[in-house]
Amino acid sequence: MTAFALTAEQQAFAAEVRRLAEEQLRPLAESGVEGAVNRPLLKAMGALGLLARLFPGVASGTPSRQAAATDLCILRENLAMVNTEAETALALQGLGTYPVLQSGQDEQVAKWLPAVAAGDAVAAFALTEPDAGSDAAALSLSAEPDGDGWRLTGSKMWISNAPEADFYTVFARTTPDAGSRGVSAFVVPADRPGLGGEHLDLVSPHPIGTVTFDAVEVRREELLGEENRGFAVAMRTLDLFRPSVGAFAVGMAQAALDATVDHTGAREAFGGPLIKQQAVAHALAEMATRTEAARLLVYAAAGAYDAGEQNLGGRAAMAKLFATEAAQFVVDSAVQLHGARALRRGHLLEHLYREVRAPRIYEGASEIQRTIIARWLASSASGRATTG
């Protein structure tokens, strides 16, 4: 694969994902309750092997600790083109589970990975707190030593799949006043005494809520990675998932673009199809160009990740930043070209309009991505100066 095109095999996989989403996943998604975890949908995705594609080797019983970033992007883009509920359900399984896969002990990998891949266990990534969002190093959920483990006390907020998840990857402070160097990561089963939470009602329709911890016990074997190195665990997962957030955005943009080309081609106004009006045609051209540019950035970043290139934080941030901002533009433009019909409840664009806003915030807001990119550039410049 080059940075600019999918192979024939990958293109066939993408088409198969869209077919499965249309024929088998969309009906299950539409029968679910908005804002709640859709377990029948997850179970179907497990049975179809889609969840297993998130975790190379899990189907054979020997899951690899290496991610497949391009597969993740193909899945997310093509599911999003057909059904955003299915896309989000899959993505949240990956986001909540990858810290376990990448940094967990073998016992935890064996316990949770097969269940997640089968659609039997629901995962959640619990990083954000009421007073620690973009500044994740400022989190205050405390992990107090207790025998050979810890007790977690505090709360998390804006956690996808909460409070319905079966386990949480939780980031807590094990060393006070140490910033990012005092954070540890844990895998916490949802049935642990003292763990609670509630749903939150957002414009975006996916499940999200709070998680509360009242002296919740976590054991030594539930530590992910090293003590006080949990921030690195979180960043390792986020560096993988940022390009795929961009893929989700590209899928939404493509769906909006396709719908708008169809609508403006069929809609008669001023003596001919709307698409023949120069203002409309130029708007469509801009929408298509931004969508394709976003796609190229996303797959270039994913391909670099899969090739084992180092220091990819800036490229991942560029992919997420550009793609999510482009998708916002494309969906908004699509609504404008459709007119009032696009704002009716149940219209594809009404749904996309609600969905497209959140990715510019979660997993690092656009402003944070710009900061990451700027630091990456400064680091690159410093490295050139040192070697020069």
mmCIF file of all heavy atoms in Angstrom, residues 42-88:
data_model
loop_
_atom_site.group_PDB
_atom_site.id
_atom_site.type_symbol
_atom_site.label_atom_id
_atom_site.label_comp_id
_atom_site.label_asym_id
_atom_site.label_seq_id
_atom_site.Cartn_x
_atom_site.Cartn_y
_atom_site.Cartn_z
ATOM 1 N N LEU A 42 -23.837 -4.932 18.878
ATOM 2 C CA LEU A 42 -22.476 -5.381 19.154
ATOM 3 C C LEU A 42 -22.332 -6.884 18.936
ATOM 4 O O LEU A 42 -21.330 -7.359 18.386
ATOM 5 C CB LEU A 42 -22.079 -5.022 20.587
ATOM 6 C CG LEU A 42 -21.677 -3.568 20.839
ATOM 7 C CD1 LEU A 42 -21.491 -3.330 22.320
ATOM 8 C CD2 LEU A 42 -20.392 -3.233 20.079
ATOM 9 N N LYS A 43 -23.328 -7.634 19.361
ATOM 10 C CA LYS A 43 -23.276 -9.086 19.200
ATOM 11 C C LYS A 43 -23.244 -9.449 17.716
ATOM 12 O O LYS A 43 -22.495 -10.343 17.301
ATOM 13 C CB LYS A 43 -24.487 -9.724 19.879
ATOM 14 C CG LYS A 43 -24.427 -11.250 19.933
ATOM 15 C CD LYS A 43 -23.287 -11.737 20.804
ATOM 16 C CE LYS A 43 -23.270 -13.254 20.889
ATOM 17 N NZ LYS A 43 -22.075 -13.752 21.616
ATOM 18 N N ALA A 44 -24.024 -8.751 16.904
ATOM 19 C CA ALA A 44 -24.011 -9.006 15.465
ATOM 20 C C ALA A 44 -22.664 -8.648 14.853
ATOM 21 O O ALA A 44 -22.141 -9.368 13.993
ATOM 22 C CB ALA A 44 -25.127 -8.217 14.790
ATOM 23 N N MET A 45 -22.073 -7.555 15.285
ATOM 24 C CA MET A 45 -20.764 -7.163 14.778
ATOM 25 C C MET A 45 -19.698 -8.176 15.168
ATOM 26 O O MET A 45 -18.753 -8.435 14.409
ATOM 27 C CB MET A 45 -20.402 -5.761 15.282
ATOM 28 C CG MET A 45 -21.337 -4.689 14.744
ATOM 29 S SD MET A 45 -21.061 -3.073 15.477
ATOM 30 C CE MET A 45 -19.609 -2.569 14.603
ATOM 31 N N GLY A 46 -19.862 -8.768 16.347
ATOM 32 C CA GLY A 46 -18.958 -9.837 16.744
ATOM 33 C C GLY A 46 -19.131 -11.062 15.881
ATOM 34 O O GLY A 46 -18.152 -11.660 15.412
ATOM 35 N N ALA A 47 -20.370 -11.451 15.635
ATOM 36 C CA ALA A 47 -20.644 -12.639 14.825
ATOM 37 C C ALA A 47 -20.160 -12.476 13.389
ATOM 38 O O ALA A 47 -19.744 -13.452 12.744
ATOM 39 C CB ALA A 47 -22.143 -12.943 14.844
ATOM 40 N N LEU A 48 -20.190 -11.258 12.878
ATOM 41 C CA LEU A 48 -19.745 -10.990 11.509
ATOM 42 C C LEU A 48 -18.224 -10.858 11.394
ATOM 43 O O LEU A 48 -17.697 -10.720 10.298
ATOM 44 C CB LEU A 48 -20.398 -9.707 10.989
ATOM 45 C CG LEU A 48 -21.914 -9.776 10.767
ATOM 46 C CD1 LEU A 48 -22.480 -8.385 10.511
ATOM 47 C CD2 LEU A 48 -22.256 -10.711 9.608
ATOM 48 N N GLY A 49 -17.539 -10.877 12.523
ATOM 49 C CA GLY A 49 -16.086 -10.780 12.510
ATOM 50 C C GLY A 49 -15.544 -9.372 12.420
ATOM 51 O O GLY A 49 -14.330 -9.181 12.321
ATOM 52 N N LEU A 50 -16.421 -8.372 12.488
ATOM 53 C CA LEU A 50 -15.962 -6.989 12.359
ATOM 54 C C LEU A 50 -15.173 -6.545 13.583
ATOM 55 O O LEU A 50 -14.145 -5.849 13.458
ATOM 56 C CB LEU A 50 -17.147 -6.060 12.118
ATOM 57 C CG LEU A 50 -17.901 -6.281 10.803
ATOM 58 C CD1 LEU A 50 -19.123 -5.373 10.732
ATOM 59 C CD2 LEU A 50 -16.989 -6.039 9.604
ATOM 60 N N LEU A 51 -15.625 -6.917 14.773
ATOM 61 C CA LEU A 51 -14.907 -6.525 15.981
ATOM 62 C C LEU A 51 -13.540 -7.202 16.049
ATOM 63 O O LEU A 51 -12.562 -6.608 16.523
ATOM 64 C CB LEU A 51 -15.731 -6.853 17.227
ATOM 65 C CG LEU A 51 -17.028 -6.058 17.400
ATOM 66 C CD1 LEU A 51 -17.818 -6.568 18.597
ATOM 67 C CD2 LEU A 51 -16.730 -4.571 17.573
ATOM 68 N N ALA A 52 -13.471 -8.435 15.576
ATOM 69 C CA ALA A 52 -12.189 -9.144 15.603
ATOM 70 C C ALA A 52 -11.148 -8.452 14.730
ATOM 71 O O ALA A 52 -9.941 -8.572 14.984
ATOM 72 C CB ALA A 52 -12.380 -10.588 15.159
ATOM 73 N N ARG A 53 -11.586 -7.727 13.685
ATOM 74 C CA ARG A 53 -10.638 -7.019 12.825
ATOM 75 C C ARG A 53 -9.916 -5.900 13.576
ATOM 76 O O ARG A 53 -8.871 -5.419 13.132
ATOM 77 C CB ARG A 53 -11.346 -6.434 11.601
ATOM 78 C CG ARG A 53 -11.818 -7.457 10.580
ATOM 79 C CD ARG A 53 -10.677 -8.219 9.926
ATOM 80 N NE ARG A 53 -9.827 -7.409 9.072
ATOM 81 C CZ ARG A 53 -9.826 -7.463 7.740
ATOM 82 N NH1 ARG A 53 -10.656 -8.273 7.114
ATOM 83 N NH2 ARG A 53 -8.999 -6.716 7.031
ATOM 84 N N LEU A 54 -10.474 -5.492 14.716
ATOM 85 C CA LEU A 54 -9.801 -4.488 15.537
ATOM 86 C C LEU A 54 -8.547 -5.041 16.204
ATOM 87 O O LEU A 54 -7.626 -4.290 16.544
ATOM 88 C CB LEU A 54 -10.737 -3.982 16.640
ATOM 89 C CG LEU A 54 -11.932 -3.130 16.252
ATOM 90 C CD1 LEU A 54 -12.815 -2.914 17.468
ATOM 91 C CD2 LEU A 54 -11.481 -1.798 15.688
ATOM 92 N N PHE A 55 -8.530 -6.349 16.423
ATOM 93 C CA PHE A 55 -7.494 -6.970 17.246
ATOM 94 C C PHE A 55 -6.847 -8.125 16.482
ATOM 95 O O PHE A 55 -7.308 -9.265 16.557
ATOM 96 C CB PHE A 55 -8.099 -7.484 18.554
ATOM 97 C CG PHE A 55 -9.004 -6.510 19.239
ATOM 98 C CD1 PHE A 55 -10.371 -6.733 19.303
ATOM 99 C CD2 PHE A 55 -8.508 -5.340 19.802
ATOM 100 C CE1 PHE A 55 -11.219 -5.835 19.934
ATOM 101 C CE2 PHE A 55 -9.346 -4.433 20.422
ATOM 102 C CZ PHE A 55 -10.708 -4.679 20.489
ATOM 103 N N PRO A 56 -5.793 -7.876 15.721
ATOM 104 C CA PRO A 56 -5.174 -8.933 14.919
ATOM 105 C C PRO A 56 -4.812 -10.155 15.776
ATOM 106 O O PRO A 56 -4.216 -10.027 16.847
ATOM 107 C CB PRO A 56 -3.915 -8.253 14.377
ATOM 108 C CG PRO A 56 -4.233 -6.803 14.371
ATOM 109 C CD PRO A 56 -5.110 -6.577 15.566
ATOM 110 N N GLY A 57 -5.190 -11.320 15.295
ATOM 111 C CA GLY A 57 -4.846 -12.564 15.964
ATOM 112 C C GLY A 57 -5.827 -13.036 17.007
ATOM 113 O O GLY A 57 -5.734 -14.164 17.485
ATOM 114 N N VAL A 58 -6.800 -12.214 17.384
ATOM 115 C CA VAL A 58 -7.697 -12.622 18.470
ATOM 116 C C VAL A 58 -8.551 -13.811 18.054
ATOM 117 O O VAL A 58 -8.888 -14.663 18.877
ATOM 118 C CB VAL A 58 -8.586 -11.436 18.929
ATOM 119 C CG1 VAL A 58 -9.619 -11.076 17.871
ATOM 120 C CG2 VAL A 58 -9.270 -11.756 20.259
ATOM 121 N N ALA A 59 -8.894 -13.923 16.776
ATOM 122 C CA ALA A 59 -9.731 -15.031 16.319
ATOM 123 C C ALA A 59 -9.030 -16.373 16.478
ATOM 124 O O ALA A 59 -9.683 -17.399 16.700
ATOM 125 C CB ALA A 59 -10.135 -14.816 14.857
ATOM 126 N N SER A 60 -7.700 -16.384 16.370
ATOM 127 C CA SER A 60 -6.947 -17.627 16.520
ATOM 128 C C SER A 60 -6.534 -17.890 17.954
ATOM 129 O O SER A 60 -5.884 -18.898 18.240
ATOM 130 C CB SER A 60 -5.695 -17.575 15.630
ATOM 131 O OG SER A 60 -4.824 -16.539 16.060
ATOM 132 N N GLY A 61 -6.880 -16.973 18.860
ATOM 133 C CA GLY A 61 -6.533 -17.152 20.263
ATOM 134 C C GLY A 61 -5.182 -16.598 20.646
ATOM 135 O O GLY A 61 -4.741 -16.750 21.783
ATOM 136 N N THR A 62 -4.507 -15.931 19.721
ATOM 137 C CA THR A 62 -3.193 -15.347 20.015
ATOM 138 C C THR A 62 -3.174 -13.884 19.579
ATOM 139 O O THR A 62 -2.561 -13.529 18.569
ATOM 140 C CB THR A 62 -2.071 -16.118 19.289
ATOM 141 O OG1 THR A 62 -2.377 -16.150 17.880
ATOM 142 C CG2 THR A 62 -1.951 -17.535 19.827
ATOM 143 N N PRO A 63 -3.889 -13.009 20.304
ATOM 144 C CA PRO A 63 -3.962 -11.604 19.898
ATOM 145 C C PRO A 63 -2.605 -10.924 19.896
ATOM 146 O O PRO A 63 -1.809 -11.093 20.815
ATOM 147 C CB PRO A 63 -4.898 -10.987 20.942
ATOM 148 C CG PRO A 63 -4.842 -11.908 22.111
ATOM 149 C CD PRO A 63 -4.624 -13.275 21.552
ATOM 150 N N SER A 64 -2.344 -10.195 18.829
ATOM 151 C CA SER A 64 -1.105 -9.431 18.708
ATOM 152 C C SER A 64 -1.244 -8.125 19.482
ATOM 153 O O SER A 64 -2.323 -7.538 19.554
ATOM 154 C CB SER A 64 -0.829 -9.141 17.234
ATOM 155 O OG SER A 64 0.192 -8.174 17.099
ATOM 156 N N ARG A 65 -0.128 -7.668 20.052
ATOM 157 C CA ARG A 65 -0.142 -6.376 20.739
ATOM 158 C C ARG A 65 -0.012 -5.223 19.745
ATOM 159 O O ARG A 65 -0.082 -4.065 20.130
ATOM 160 C CB ARG A 65 1.001 -6.303 21.760
ATOM 161 C CG ARG A 65 0.994 -7.402 22.828
ATOM 162 C CD ARG A 65 -0.226 -7.341 23.727
ATOM 163 N NE ARG A 65 -0.245 -8.426 24.688
ATOM 164 C CZ ARG A 65 -0.178 -8.271 26.009
ATOM 165 N NH1 ARG A 65 -0.116 -7.071 26.529
ATOM 166 N NH2 ARG A 65 -0.212 -9.314 26.810
ATOM 167 N N GLN A 66 0.179 -5.532 18.464
ATOM 168 C CA GLN A 66 0.332 -4.504 17.435
ATOM 169 C C GLN A 66 -1.016 -4.189 16.794
ATOM 170 O O GLN A 66 -1.732 -5.082 16.357
ATOM 171 C CB GLN A 66 1.314 -4.968 16.359
ATOM 172 C CG GLN A 66 1.460 -4.006 15.189
ATOM 173 C CD GLN A 66 1.967 -2.634 15.619
ATOM 174 O OE1 GLN A 66 2.862 -2.542 16.443
ATOM 175 N NE2 GLN A 66 1.375 -1.587 15.079
ATOM 176 N N ALA A 67 -1.322 -2.936 16.715
ATOM 177 C CA ALA A 67 -2.580 -2.493 16.129
ATOM 178 C C ALA A 67 -2.540 -2.594 14.618
ATOM 179 O O ALA A 67 -1.482 -2.675 14.006
ATOM 180 C CB ALA A 67 -2.847 -1.053 16.538
ATOM 181 N N ALA A 68 -3.713 -2.581 14.014
ATOM 182 C CA ALA A 68 -3.843 -2.496 12.568
ATOM 183 C C ALA A 68 -4.559 -1.189 12.257
ATOM 184 O O ALA A 68 -5.777 -1.142 12.117
ATOM 185 C CB ALA A 68 -4.617 -3.687 12.025
ATOM 186 N N ALA A 69 -3.795 -0.103 12.178
ATOM 187 C CA ALA A 69 -4.389 1.233 12.062
ATOM 188 C C ALA A 69 -5.178 1.398 10.774
ATOM 189 O O ALA A 69 -6.243 2.018 10.761
ATOM 190 C CB ALA A 69 -3.300 2.296 12.165
ATOM 191 N N THR A 70 -4.679 0.840 9.675
ATOM 192 C CA THR A 70 -5.387 0.997 8.407
ATOM 193 C C THR A 70 -6.704 0.241 8.426
ATOM 194 O O THR A 70 -7.729 0.747 7.943
ATOM 195 C CB THR A 70 -4.498 0.535 7.239
ATOM 196 O OG1 THR A 70 -3.282 1.288 7.246
ATOM 197 C CG2 THR A 70 -5.202 0.734 5.912
ATOM 198 N N ASP A 71 -6.712 -0.983 8.952
ATOM 199 C CA ASP A 71 -7.968 -1.721 9.100
ATOM 200 C C ASP A 71 -8.971 -0.928 9.926
ATOM 201 O O ASP A 71 -10.162 -0.876 9.610
ATOM 202 C CB ASP A 71 -7.724 -3.077 9.767
ATOM 203 C CG ASP A 71 -7.487 -4.188 8.757
ATOM 204 O OD1 ASP A 71 -7.361 -3.880 7.551
ATOM 205 O OD2 ASP A 71 -7.421 -5.355 9.173
ATOM 206 N N LEU A 72 -8.486 -0.327 11.009
ATOM 207 C CA LEU A 72 -9.361 0.459 11.869
ATOM 208 C C LEU A 72 -9.975 1.623 11.089
ATOM 209 O O LEU A 72 -11.177 1.896 11.207
ATOM 210 C CB LEU A 72 -8.565 0.970 13.074
ATOM 211 C CG LEU A 72 -9.288 1.866 14.087
ATOM 212 C CD1 LEU A 72 -10.527 1.195 14.636
ATOM 213 C CD2 LEU A 72 -8.334 2.243 15.221
ATOM 214 N N CYS A 73 -9.177 2.295 10.277
ATOM 215 C CA CYS A 73 -9.694 3.414 9.484
ATOM 216 C C CYS A 73 -10.691 2.941 8.428
ATOM 217 O O CYS A 73 -11.716 3.593 8.194
ATOM 218 C CB CYS A 73 -8.541 4.174 8.839
ATOM 219 S SG CYS A 73 -7.553 5.135 10.019
ATOM 220 N N ILE A 74 -10.392 1.818 7.770
ATOM 221 C CA ILE A 74 -11.320 1.287 6.767
ATOM 222 C C ILE A 74 -12.656 0.952 7.419
ATOM 223 O O ILE A 74 -13.732 1.292 6.897
ATOM 224 C CB ILE A 74 -10.725 0.038 6.084
ATOM 225 C CG1 ILE A 74 -9.522 0.429 5.219
ATOM 226 C CG2 ILE A 74 -11.777 -0.666 5.233
ATOM 227 C CD1 ILE A 74 -8.743 -0.754 4.687
ATOM 228 N N LEU A 75 -12.601 0.296 8.565
ATOM 229 C CA LEU A 75 -13.832 -0.044 9.278
ATOM 230 C C LEU A 75 -14.621 1.209 9.630
ATOM 231 O O LEU A 75 -15.830 1.303 9.371
ATOM 232 C CB LEU A 75 -13.497 -0.832 10.544
ATOM 233 C CG LEU A 75 -13.114 -2.296 10.357
ATOM 234 C CD1 LEU A 75 -12.393 -2.819 11.599
ATOM 235 C CD2 LEU A 75 -14.365 -3.133 10.095
ATOM 236 N N ARG A 76 -13.969 2.182 10.213
ATOM 237 C CA ARG A 76 -14.681 3.356 10.711
ATOM 238 C C ARG A 76 -15.236 4.217 9.580
ATOM 239 O O ARG A 76 -16.371 4.686 9.652
ATOM 240 C CB ARG A 76 -13.772 4.183 11.628
ATOM 241 C CG ARG A 76 -13.358 3.460 12.894
ATOM 242 C CD ARG A 76 -12.720 4.356 13.929
ATOM 243 N NE ARG A 76 -13.684 5.283 14.513
ATOM 244 C CZ ARG A 76 -13.399 6.106 15.515
ATOM 245 N NH1 ARG A 76 -12.183 6.126 16.041
ATOM 246 N NH2 ARG A 76 -14.321 6.923 15.996
ATOM 247 N N GLU A 77 -14.450 4.419 8.525
ATOM 248 C CA GLU A 77 -14.947 5.230 7.421
ATOM 249 C C GLU A 77 -16.166 4.584 6.767
ATOM 250 O O GLU A 77 -17.186 5.241 6.515
ATOM 251 C CB GLU A 77 -13.866 5.444 6.357
ATOM 252 C CG GLU A 77 -14.382 6.249 5.171
ATOM 253 C CD GLU A 77 -13.421 6.345 4.010
ATOM 254 O OE1 GLU A 77 -12.265 5.886 4.118
ATOM 255 O OE2 GLU A 77 -13.836 6.899 2.965
ATOM 256 N N ASN A 78 -16.073 3.297 6.474
ATOM 257 C CA ASN A 78 -17.118 2.652 5.693
ATOM 258 C C ASN A 78 -18.361 2.338 6.506
ATOM 259 O O ASN A 78 -19.471 2.365 5.964
ATOM 260 C CB ASN A 78 -16.546 1.423 4.999
ATOM 261 C CG ASN A 78 -15.592 1.809 3.886
ATOM 262 O OD1 ASN A 78 -16.008 2.144 2.785
ATOM 263 N ND2 ASN A 78 -14.296 1.823 4.191
ATOM 264 N N LEU A 79 -18.215 2.081 7.792
ATOM 265 C CA LEU A 79 -19.398 1.983 8.646
ATOM 266 C C LEU A 79 -20.090 3.335 8.742
ATOM 267 O O LEU A 79 -21.320 3.429 8.669
ATOM 268 C CB LEU A 79 -19.018 1.472 10.032
ATOM 269 C CG LEU A 79 -18.668 -0.011 10.156
ATOM 270 C CD1 LEU A 79 -18.140 -0.312 11.553
ATOM 271 C CD2 LEU A 79 -19.867 -0.898 9.847
ATOM 272 N N ALA A 80 -19.304 4.403 8.905
ATOM 273 C CA ALA A 80 -19.891 5.734 9.051
ATOM 274 C C ALA A 80 -20.640 6.171 7.804
ATOM 275 O O ALA A 80 -21.625 6.912 7.880
ATOM 276 C CB ALA A 80 -18.806 6.759 9.393
ATOM 277 N N MET A 81 -20.209 5.726 6.637
ATOM 278 C CA MET A 81 -20.899 6.084 5.399
ATOM 279 C C MET A 81 -22.317 5.533 5.363
ATOM 280 O O MET A 81 -23.192 6.081 4.688
ATOM 281 C CB MET A 81 -20.111 5.559 4.195
ATOM 282 C CG MET A 81 -18.846 6.347 3.900
ATOM 283 S SD MET A 81 -17.842 5.591 2.591
ATOM 284 C CE MET A 81 -18.981 5.711 1.209
ATOM 285 N N VAL A 82 -22.553 4.447 6.121
ATOM 286 C CA VAL A 82 -23.856 3.781 6.098
ATOM 287 C C VAL A 82 -24.627 3.970 7.386
ATOM 288 O O VAL A 82 -25.835 4.251 7.377
ATOM 289 C CB VAL A 82 -23.674 2.270 5.818
ATOM 290 C CG1 VAL A 82 -25.016 1.539 5.830
ATOM 291 C CG2 VAL A 82 -22.961 2.047 4.497
ATOM 292 N N ASN A 83 -23.920 3.838 8.525
ATOM 293 C CA ASN A 83 -24.627 3.864 9.806
ATOM 294 C C ASN A 83 -23.670 4.293 10.913
ATOM 295 O O ASN A 83 -22.771 3.534 11.292
ATOM 296 C CB ASN A 83 -25.210 2.485 10.104
ATOM 297 C CG ASN A 83 -26.056 2.479 11.359
ATOM 298 O OD1 ASN A 83 -25.574 2.116 12.418
ATOM 299 N ND2 ASN A 83 -27.314 2.885 11.238
ATOM 300 N N THR A 84 -23.846 5.495 11.432
ATOM 301 C CA THR A 84 -22.908 5.999 12.436
ATOM 302 C C THR A 84 -23.027 5.272 13.764
ATOM 303 O O THR A 84 -22.057 5.215 14.532
ATOM 304 C CB THR A 84 -23.110 7.507 12.668
ATOM 305 O OG1 THR A 84 -24.452 7.754 13.105
ATOM 306 C CG2 THR A 84 -22.824 8.300 11.403
ATOM 307 N N GLU A 85 -24.196 4.724 14.079
ATOM 308 C CA GLU A 85 -24.335 3.978 15.333
ATOM 309 C C GLU A 85 -23.425 2.761 15.339
ATOM 310 O O GLU A 85 -22.758 2.476 16.345
ATOM 311 C CB GLU A 85 -25.782 3.549 15.563
ATOM 312 C CG GLU A 85 -26.746 4.687 15.851
ATOM 313 C CD GLU A 85 -27.378 5.247 14.588
ATOM 314 O OE1 GLU A 85 -26.810 5.045 13.483
ATOM 315 O OE2 GLU A 85 -28.438 5.892 14.690
ATOM 316 N N ALA A 86 -23.386 2.025 14.235
ATOM 317 C CA ALA A 86 -22.510 0.857 14.138
ATOM 318 C C ALA A 86 -21.048 1.287 14.217
ATOM 319 O O ALA A 86 -20.225 0.637 14.879
ATOM 320 C CB ALA A 86 -22.779 0.088 12.852
ATOM 321 N N GLU A 87 -20.706 2.378 13.539
ATOM 322 C CA GLU A 87 -19.330 2.872 13.581
ATOM 323 C C GLU A 87 -18.916 3.191 15.003
ATOM 324 O O GLU A 87 -17.834 2.786 15.457
ATOM 325 C CB GLU A 87 -19.204 4.129 12.712
ATOM 326 C CG GLU A 87 -17.798 4.683 12.598
ATOM 327 C CD GLU A 87 -17.317 5.417 13.830
ATOM 328 O OE1 GLU A 87 -18.146 5.975 14.567
ATOM 329 O OE2 GLU A 87 -16.093 5.440 14.056
ATOM 330 N N THR A 88 -19.763 3.914 15.723
ATOM 331 C CA THR A 88 -19.401 4.341 17.065
ATOM 332 C C THR A 88 -19.328 3.154 18.014
ATOM 333 O O THR A 88 -18.436 3.096 18.879
ATOM 334 C CB THR A 88 -20.414 5.385 17.572
ATOM 335 O OG1 THR A 88 -20.397 6.509 16.679
ATOM 336 C CG2 THR A 88 -20.069 5.858 18.963
#
